C-alpha cells in the first residue's frame, strides 16, 4: 500500500509496462490498475468465532500498519464478534511493521497480560499463536489465537482457532490469462472475496468446538451462495466509535478503501500519523 503513489509515477513514466497494484485504489485507463482480495470478509468470520470463544469478552490485536485495509479488517472482526457477543471489547497494540518478531511478541504479551483471551495478529509473524500455546502449556491459561495470511496452527496447535488466508493465485491467474489472450483492460478494479476463493479461512484448530465451526462455516457458505452481499457486514450500516452511525447501503469499495475510523467496541483511539 505504501508504494501506491510511487507506482502511479512509474506507470506515467514507463507507459509500455503494465502496472498492477494490490489493495490500492489508484490507476489509469492505459497501463495501471488495482485489485484486492476482500480480507475483511474472512476477518468478519473469524470475529464470530472469537465472540463465541472468549470468556473475558476482550479481544487483543497486534496491529501492523493503520492503513485502510487493516482498519477495515479490525472493524470487520469487531462487528463479527458483536453479532454473537454484544459485550465485546477490542484492544490494539500497533507495531508499525509487517514483520518484526521481537516487537510482535512484546505486543502479544502486553495484550495477554491485560486480559485479552483471544489474540489476533495482522502481521506475518505467528507470535500470538506461539504465545497462546505457551500460556496454555505452562499455566493452563485458556487463551486462543488467530493466524494471518497463511496457516499458522502448527505454531500452537492446542490454542489455534483459524485465521484469514489470501489465495492471490486465483486472481493472478485470471489477470495473466486475460493478458495472454490479449483481453486485459485497465480500470477493472478487481474485487474478489470468499465467493471467488481469493480469501478464505486457514484449517480449524483441533480443539475448536464443533458448534463454533458449524456456525462460522454456515455463514461462510451463505456468503459464497450470494445470501450476503459483497460489502457485508459494512453494507448493513455501522455504529462508529463516537456513536455516530452510517446507514445501510452507504459503504462500498470507495468507502472501504479510505476507511479512517473505528467502529464501536474498539477501545483504542484512532491512530494519527
Amino acid at each position: 500500500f505504501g508504494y501506491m503513489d510511487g507506482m502511479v509515477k512509474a506507470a506515467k513514466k514507463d507507459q509500455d509496462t503494465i502496472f498492477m497494484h494490490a489493495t490500492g485504489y489508484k490507476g489509469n485507463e492505459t497501463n495501471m490498475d488495482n485489485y484486492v482480495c476482500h480480507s475483511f470478509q474472512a476477518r468478519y468470520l473469524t470475529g464470530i468465532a472469537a465472540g463465541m470463544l472468549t470468556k473475558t469478552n476482550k479481544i487483543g490485536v497486534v496491529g501492523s500498519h493503520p492503513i485502510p485495509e487493516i482498519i477495515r479488517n479490525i472493524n470487520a472482526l469487531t462487528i463479527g464478534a458483536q453479532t454473537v457477543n454484544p459485550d465485546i471489547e477490542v484492544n490494539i497494540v500497533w507495531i508499525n511493521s509487517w514483520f518484526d518478531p521481537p516487537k510482535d511478541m512484546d505486543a502479544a504479551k502486553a495484550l495477554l497480560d491485560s486480559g485479552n483471551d483471544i489474540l489476533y495478529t495482522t502481521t506475518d509473524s505467528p507470535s500470538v499463536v506461539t504465545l497462546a500455546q505457551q500460556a496454555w502449556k505452562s499455566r493452563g491459561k485458556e487463551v486462543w489465537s488467530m493466524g494471518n495470511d497463511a496457516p499458522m496452527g502448527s505454531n500452537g496447535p492446542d490454542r489455534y482457532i483459524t485465521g484469514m488466508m489470501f489465495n492471490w493465485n486465483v486472481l493472478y491467474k485470471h489477470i495473466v490469462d486475460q493478458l495472454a489472450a490479449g483481453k486485459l483492460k485497465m480500470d477493472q478494479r478487481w474485487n474478489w472475496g470468499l465467493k471467488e476463493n481469493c480469501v478464505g479461512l486457514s484449517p480449524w484448530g483441533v480443539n475448536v468446538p464443533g458448534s463454533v465451526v458449524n456456525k462460522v462455516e454456515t455463514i461462510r457458505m451463505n456468503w459464497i451462495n450470494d445470501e450476503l452481499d459483497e460489502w457485508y457486514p459494512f453494507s448493513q450500516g455501522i455504529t462508529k466509535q463516537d456513536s455516530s452511525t452510517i446507514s445501510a447501503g452507504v459503504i462500498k469499495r470507495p468507502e472501504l478503501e479510505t476507511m479512517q475510523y473505528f467502529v464501536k467496541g474498539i477501545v483504542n483511539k484512532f491512530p494519527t500519523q
Side-chain angles (χ1 to χ4, degrees):
F1 189 87
Y3 296 96
M4 180 169 58
D5 291 338
M7 185 174 278
V8 170
K9 293 178 181 178
K12 188 174 182 179
K13 181 180 178 181
D14 191 354
Q15 300 199 10
D16 290 333
T17 300
I18 293 173
F19 293 82
M20 303 294 299
H21 188 267
T23 77
Y25 52 85
K26 294 184 180 181
N28 59 45
E29 295 181 356
T30 56
N31 70 324
M32 180 177 169
D33 207 347
N34 55 75
Y35 58 95
V36 64
C37 288
H38 288 320
S39 50
F40 71 86
Q41 295 180 350
R43 292 289 191 188
Y44 172 81
L45 295 176
T46 67
I48 296 169
M52 294 178 72
L53 287 169
T54 180
K55 292 184 177 180
T56 65
N57 297 331
K58 296 179 69 174
I59 296 172
V61 181
V62 177
S64 48
H65 294 277
I67 64 173
E69 181 188 12
I70 303 303
I71 297 300
R72 62 180 178 259
N73 279 346
I74 297 174
N75 283 340
L77 75 86
T78 303
I79 296 169
Q82 289 170 342
T83 64
V84 292
N85 188 337
D87 297 323
I88 284 295
E89 173 185 299
V90 175
N91 302 276
I92 310 164
V93 174
W94 296 101
I95 68 168
N96 296 306
S97 174
W98 296 114
F99 186 74
D100 187 334
K103 208 171 183 180
D104 200 289
M105 182 59 80
D106 287 344
K109 288 178 178 177
L111 290 165
L112 179 63
D113 290 345
S114 58
N116 298 281
D117 66 350
I118 311 287
L119 300 180
Y120 275 82
T121 184
T122 67
T123 79
D124 294 321
S125 169
S127 299
V128 295
V129 184
T130 303
L131 181 63
Q133 182 78 5
Q134 290 173 349
W136 170 252
K137 287 293 187 180
S138 63
R139 292 178 279 161
K141 193 171 182 63
E142 294 190 15
V143 55
W144 292 93
S145 63
M146 294 281 190
N148 182 54
D149 287 353
M152 292 182 172
S154 61
N155 296 279
D158 298 313
R159 295 282 96 189
Y160 186 73
I161 305 174
T162 181
M164 185 279 295
M165 270 182 45
F166 283 118
N167 298 311
W168 290 110
N169 56 299
V170 297
L171 181 52
Y172 290 154
K173 184 179 186 304
H174 175 76
I175 292 171
V176 173
D177 284 349
Q178 284 205 343
L179 175 65
K183 297 179 180 179
L184 184 64
K185 296 180 180 179
M186 298 295 98
D187 204 25
Q188 298 297 297
R189 295 168 59 82
W190 281 278
N191 303 280
W192 283 19
L194 289 167
K195 184 177 178 180
E196 297 85 2
N197 194 35
C198 203
V199 293
L201 297 176
S202 62
W204 289 94
V206 294
N207 292 326
V208 180
S211 57
V212 174
V213 176
N214 290 338
K215 172 81 171 177
V216 174
E217 289 294 339
T218 297
I219 296 171
R220 185 177 73 89
M221 289 309 301
N222 288 343
W223 221 322
I224 291 172
N225 293 326
D226 288 330
E227 294 179 36
L228 303 176
D229 67 74
E230 185 177 14
W231 313 112
Y232 190 90
F234 298 105
S235 58
Q236 306 305 295
I238 63 170
T239 300
K240 295 168 70 172
Q241 191 179 55
D242 63 5
S243 295
S244 63
T245 59
I246 297 178
S247 301
V250 171
I251 299 178
K252 296 181 181 179
R253 181 170 175 179
E255 290 74 28
L256 291 172
E257 289 173 337
T258 56
M259 187 168 279
Q260 291 290 298
Y261 55 79
F262 285 144
V263 297
K264 193 170 185 179
I266 296 176
V267 175
N268 306 69
K269 291 183 179 179
F270 193 84
T272 55
Q273 294 178 304

